[in-house]
Each structure stands twice: as structure tokens, then as C-alpha cells.
Amino acid sequence: KLSLSGAGYIKINGIPVTASFLKTIAPLIINIHGQHDNQALLEPDNHYLYIDRLAQNEAELNAYRNCFKEFNAIRSALKEREIDEDEKLRKIDLLKYQIKELKDADLSEGEIDELKAKLSVAKNVDKRIKDLNSVLSYLRDNGDSVGATTLVKNAVHSISLIADDGLNGEYEKMLDAVNNLEISAHAIEGRIEELSSEEYDIDKIQERLSLLKSLSLKYGKDEAAMLLFLANAEKELDGILFNDEEIERLENQLILAKEALIASADKLSKTRKKAALSFEKDVKEVLCRLNMPRACLSVEHNTGRYTRNGCDEIQFLF
């Protein structure tokens, strides 16, 4: 009891108790309801949930949802491939142009860096060839003088004529020197020939770099990115060219997936119908015990569109 003065007391079966004790046992004897605690029952979209709990049909529901997911995946894939004929021809022309342009370029990874290095050499190639020829002139004979290689050869020949065992080691060293000079002279001649070739033609190098830069603006920042673009373009073109075959394959898959979906939905519906009949009977018995023998609750069950939760439209009618 509560009084206006603020004082009050609590008794259970005539025995005074504390507020904390009352709080402990209150949930066991009093069930408090709010004015909106039954609103969920007024939402038909939620009614199937109660039936499913009674049906204990988790296995059937999960099997149906797997079929539903598979059906939608195939349908989406099919829709992506159903492009109109004009769009298809336009896409084919574009892909063929891109593929030809990249293939004609004959790309290789690292070429841009290699060309930049060659360009740096090519800008001074005339001076470099002149300097190398100057070095070669010291090694090879020319009209004005005898080269170092010939001089050392003459020295080797002369020392070979001297019968002095103490100079055998020097003979071998001088002979190695001749061989090394020949090797160096040959390498220098090869480098001069290489620098004189078209490989170090400034105009050709710059033309090639310009082409690769132009392609990189369209297809990727470097050779690797452009080659990846090429691979993807070829794959996409193959997909379009064989699109009709793929559409036919997906259409056949969709038919099978739809049949599986319908069969799975039918199994799920049967579990719900069975649970609904039992539910109606049990509620009827409870209503009779509540002295409402003429009251009736029925579960309306219709077939609607296929959703993630099945094709059943379930509603409680009282």
C-alpha cells in the first residue's frame, strides 16, 4: 500500500516483506502487458514465422533457400549476357580494334625502360663511336702507325727467339696480353657495329616510345597493365562470340534450377500446411476452454510469388 504521506508497506499473505523481496517474486505471479505487445500478430507477413516454428522445418527451409539462391544466380548471369544485337556488334568491333592495336605493338615487359636507356646512349652515339674508334686505333694497325696488338705480337715473337729459360714466365704473360688485346679489340669492334645499327637510331627509338606512351594512355600505365588489358579483351571477345552458346547453356540450367526450386518450395509448403492444421485444432481446443466455443481461428494458405522464404502467403483469420 502507498499513502499520500509517502509511508507505505508491503505484505505477502499477511507477512511484511521488503521491496527487494517483492521484486524477486513478482515475475512469478504477475504478467505485465503493454498496449502494443501483440502488434506482431497483426502483421500477416510475420505469420509464416509462427507456423515454421511449429513445423520445425529448418532443413526444408534451408534447402529451399539454396535452390532460390542458385536460381537467382543463373537468372542474373543470363540477364547479363542478353544484350541487343546492335550493342553486341559495336562491342565486337571495339574489342577487335583494341586487340589488333595491342598485338601489332608486340609489347614486352621492361621495353619502355630499355628504350629510355637506349635513347640516352643514342643521343651521344656519334661521340661514343668516335671515342671507341680512337681506342681501337691504338690497338689495331692503321695507315699512320702500328697498333699495340701488333707491337706486343712482335715482342712475343722476339722473346721466343731468345734462349733464356729464366724468361719463360714473361713469354707466357706477354702471350696472354696479346690474347686479351685481341679480345678487347674484337669487343670494341662489336660495340661500334652495334651502336651504328638501327637499334640506336634516335628517330626510331623516339617513335617507338611515342607509340608505347600513346597506348599506355588508353590501356594501362605500363607494359604489364597493357598486356593484362589485352588478355581481358580477348577473353571478353571470346565470351561475346560464344555468347549464344552460353545463353543456351544458361537457359537449360535455368529450367533445371526452376524445377528444383518448385519442388523444394512444394516440400516446404507441405510442412507448413501440416503444421497449420495442427495449429488450428490446438487453438480451437484452447478457445473452448476459455468458454468461446463458437470462436474460430483458421490459417489461410495461398501460393504467391517466390521469395527467399518460399512461395506461401500465410495469414491468420479469427
Side-chain angles (χ1 to χ4, degrees):
K1 287 187 177 181
L2 302 175
S3 67
L4 293 176
S5 64
Y9 62 89
I10 303 169
K11 288 183 179 181
I12 297 178
N13 290 345
I15 301 174
V17 297
T18 63
S20 62
F21 185 81
L22 176 64
K23 185 177 181 180
T24 301
I25 69 167
L28 304 177
I29 58 176
I30 302 173
N31 193 11
I32 301 175
H33 292 274
Q35 68 184 101
H36 298 298
D37 69 337
N38 64 337
Q39 291 300 300
L41 281 173
L42 301 180
E43 292 293 336
D45 290 343
N46 295 327
H47 290 177
Y48 83 93
L49 296 171
Y50 302 105
I51 298 300
D52 281 355
R53 288 174 65 182
L54 293 170
Q56 297 182 346
N57 57 5
E58 293 87 353
E60 289 82 1
L61 180 58
N62 288 333
Y64 168 81
R65 284 176 173 171
N66 288 333
C67 291
F68 183 75
K69 182 179 179 181
E70 178 71 11
F71 175 80
N72 281 332
I74 296 173
R75 186 169 59 177
S76 296
L78 185 60
K79 186 175 181 180
E80 288 177 1
R81 285 162 176 77
E82 290 177 340
I83 57 178
D84 62 71
E85 196 63 24
D86 290 340
E87 174 66 15
K88 176 181 176 181
L89 294 175
R90 186 195 67 79
K91 191 66 174 177
I92 288 175
D93 287 343
L94 176 61
L95 288 170
K96 283 184 175 180
Y97 170 80
Q98 292 172 332
I99 292 170
K100 183 179 185 304
E101 189 173 33
L102 287 169
K103 281 191 171 183
D104 288 347
D106 193 22
L107 300 169
S108 61
E109 291 191 37
E111 183 184 3
I112 293 176
D113 291 337
E114 183 181 335
L115 287 171
K116 288 179 179 179
K118 284 185 177 181
L119 183 62
S120 177
V121 174
K123 288 180 178 178
N124 301 298
V125 72
D126 291 338
K127 183 178 183 303
R128 187 164 298 196
I129 291 174
K130 181 179 178 182
D131 292 341
L132 289 174
N133 276 319
S134 177
V135 174
L136 192 62
S137 69
Y138 294 122
L139 299 176
R140 298 283 195 213
D141 297 342
N142 57 47
D144 299 327
S145 62
V146 179
T149 304
T150 299
L151 292 173
V152 176
K153 281 182 178 179
N154 292 337
V156 170
H157 177 69
S158 296
I159 199 172
S160 69
L161 299 176
I162 300 173
D164 189 340
D165 294 339
L167 295 176
N168 288 340
E170 304 309 315
Y171 172 79
E172 295 295 335
K173 292 178 183 177
M174 293 169 67
L175 188 60
D176 287 341
V178 172
N179 292 332
N180 289 332
L181 288 173
E182 289 285 4
I183 292 172
S184 295
H186 182 72
I188 291 172
E189 287 175 337
R191 183 57 174 163
I192 291 173
E193 184 178 349
E194 182 182 356
L195 292 173
S196 301
S197 67
E198 291 185 357
E199 189 176 359
Y200 286 90
D201 186 314
I202 292 180
D203 292 337
K204 289 185 178 297
I205 294 173
Q206 289 179 333
E207 182 182 351
R208 178 65 175 173
L209 279 172
S210 177
L211 171 64
L212 295 180
K213 182 179 180 181
S214 174
L215 292 175
S216 70
L217 293 174
K218 294 190 286 185
Y219 304 120
K221 63 179 181 179
D222 53 30
E223 300 97 328
M226 288 187 278
L227 288 170
L228 179 60
F229 186 98
L230 172 61
N232 290 334
E234 289 177 325
K235 183 178 179 180
E236 186 177 358
L237 180 60
D238 287 341
I240 294 176
L241 293 177
F242 295 101
N243 194 48
D244 293 340
E245 294 180 12
E246 180 66 7
I247 287 176
E248 184 178 357
R249 185 184 70 83
L250 287 172
E251 286 176 341
N252 292 331
Q253 283 190 340
L254 190 65
I255 292 173
L256 296 176
K258 185 176 181 180
E259 291 175 353
L261 180 69
I262 294 173
S264 183
D266 185 56
K267 289 182 180 179
L268 181 61
S269 293
K270 287 179 179 178
T271 65
R272 288 170 171 171
K273 289 175 180 177
K274 182 178 179 181
L277 290 174
S278 178
F279 178 58
E280 290 177 355
K281 179 182 177 183
D282 292 344
V283 171
K284 179 66 175 177
E285 292 177 358
V286 172
L287 291 173
C288 287
R289 290 200 299 272
L290 294 175
N291 200 25
M292 291 188 285
R294 296 183 181 179
C296 178
L297 181 138
S298 64
V299 180
E300 185 180 65
H301 194 138
N302 296 312
T303 300
R305 65 186 184 90
Y306 288 81
T307 69
R308 182 175 180 274
N309 298 312
C311 63
D312 304 297
E313 293 180 350
I314 295 175
Q315 184 174 4
F316 299 161
L317 302 179
F318 184 75

